[in-house]
Amino acid sequence: MKKLLILILTLAMVMTSFTACGNSDDKETTADDQTTQVEQGDTDTEADGDTDVEEADGDTEDGDAAQEDADKNSGSENKGDGNTVSKPSAPKEDNKKEETPEEEAKPSAPSGSPSKIIDKIYAKKSVELPLETTELDLSDGDMFTAVTGLADSDKVKEAAYSESMMGSQAYSLVVVRVKKSKYAADVADEMLNGINPAKWICVEADDVRVAAYDDLVMLIMVSSQFEDTVTGKEMVSAFKKVCGGSLDVSKKR
């Protein structure tokens, strides 16, 4: 009986020992599992941190690329040493010159014979004197010079004059059409300087003027005693109106 009790106690002790060993193994296993979980957590943390760094690096690269695009768009480029060199800007287009309208062609002198031009002048300014208009014979040199003051008729195409039928009145209006309009200014000067204002002998004209437009030249000489009736200035003004309101030459002696 005693032996049986001793055997039971012994078995009980052995079983207790096995149970203790099993708990110890379970505890060790649990500790190992916790250690493994901690290590995995560290690994995950490290992995997440690396990812964040990589993402940050990626953002930096994108930022650099965007900066380079901005530099290109702004017309500058970055050198390796960090200095920025501005690219020359495109040359500006020259301002277009303002187009000026073509000058209107100069109106020609009125058509018609010199005697017709004299009639048009009198239509603008009447003269209360007994006047007669005569076509001038260019082949009559002496008469031609006495009336126009020109030495010859080489540059003259046709001419006419209007004078008083009374020799005691100093008045003469002469109109000459030259062969070319470029002769007009020279012919006007020669007439102004060549005419004799005392050709009537007993009377003399002291108001002597010339005017020219295109191929027409007018000479007017009149005594100031007729200023209440007509003056040289009035006749030049009438000739100007006949020519359309402008003159190339207007001079007085």
Side-chain angles (χ1 to χ4, degrees), residues 193-206:
N193 297 319
I195 194 66
N196 179 13
K199 67 177 185 176
W200 296 279
I201 301 175
C202 58
V203 293
E204 181 177 353
D206 54 359

Side-chain angles (χ1 to χ4, degrees), residues 67-89:
Q67 183 62 38
E68 290 178 359
D69 292 340
D71 290 343
K72 290 179 181 179
N73 292 334
S74 63
S76 62
E77 61 179 351
N78 293 329
K79 289 187 174 181
D81 56 3
N83 295 330
T84 301
V85 178
S86 297
K87 292 182 179 179
S89 57

Side-chain angles (χ1 to χ4, degrees), residues 183-216:
Y183 298 151
D186 291 339
V187 169
D189 285 342
E190 187 176 348
M191 291 174 70
L192 182 64
N193 297 319
I195 194 66
N196 179 13
K199 67 177 185 176
W200 296 279
I201 301 175
C202 58
V203 293
E204 181 177 353
D206 54 359
D207 185 0
V208 183
R209 300 170 187 258
V210 292
Y213 179 78
D214 196 26
D215 62 347
L216 286 178

Side-chain angles (χ1 to χ4, degrees), residues 75-227:
S76 62
E77 61 179 351
N78 293 329
K79 289 187 174 181
D81 56 3
N83 295 330
T84 301
V85 178
S86 297
K87 292 182 179 179
S89 57
K92 295 181 179 179
E93 294 183 0
D94 294 335
N95 293 331
K96 293 183 179 180
K97 296 181 177 180
E98 297 181 358
E99 296 182 359
T100 55
E102 294 183 1
E103 293 184 0
E104 295 182 0
K106 176 183 175 181
S108 299
S111 60
S113 65
S115 61
K116 295 296 183 182
I117 300 300
I118 291 174
D119 291 341
K120 292 180 180 181
I121 294 172
Y122 286 146
K124 300 296 182 182
K125 169 56 184 170
S126 61
V127 179
E128 301 299 327
L129 294 173
L131 303 175
E132 182 179 13
T133 300
T134 306
E135 293 286 342
L136 191 58
D137 183 2
L138 302 185
S139 63
D140 188 345
D142 292 339
M143 185 64 177
F144 178 81
T145 299
V147 170
T148 64
L150 297 172
D152 56 61
S153 60
D154 292 346
K155 297 178 181 179
V156 177
K157 182 178 181 181
E158 51 187 343
Y161 65 100
S162 174
E163 292 185 356
S164 173
M165 292 183 289
M166 298 175 60
S168 59
Q169 294 179 329
Y171 174 91
S172 179
L173 174 65
V174 182
V175 173
V176 170
R177 189 180 294 276
V178 295
K179 293 178 180 178
K180 295 182 180 180
S181 59
K182 66 180 182 179
Y183 298 151
D186 291 339
V187 169
D189 285 342
E190 187 176 348
M191 291 174 70
L192 182 64
N193 297 319
I195 194 66
N196 179 13
K199 67 177 185 176
W200 296 279
I201 301 175
C202 58
V203 293
E204 181 177 353
D206 54 359
D207 185 0
V208 183
R209 300 170 187 258
V210 292
Y213 179 78
D214 196 26
D215 62 347
L216 286 178
V217 181
M218 184 199 77
L219 165 70
I220 177 66
M221 59 179 181
V222 60
S223 173
S224 58
Q225 72 178 14
F226 300 120
E227 62 183 359

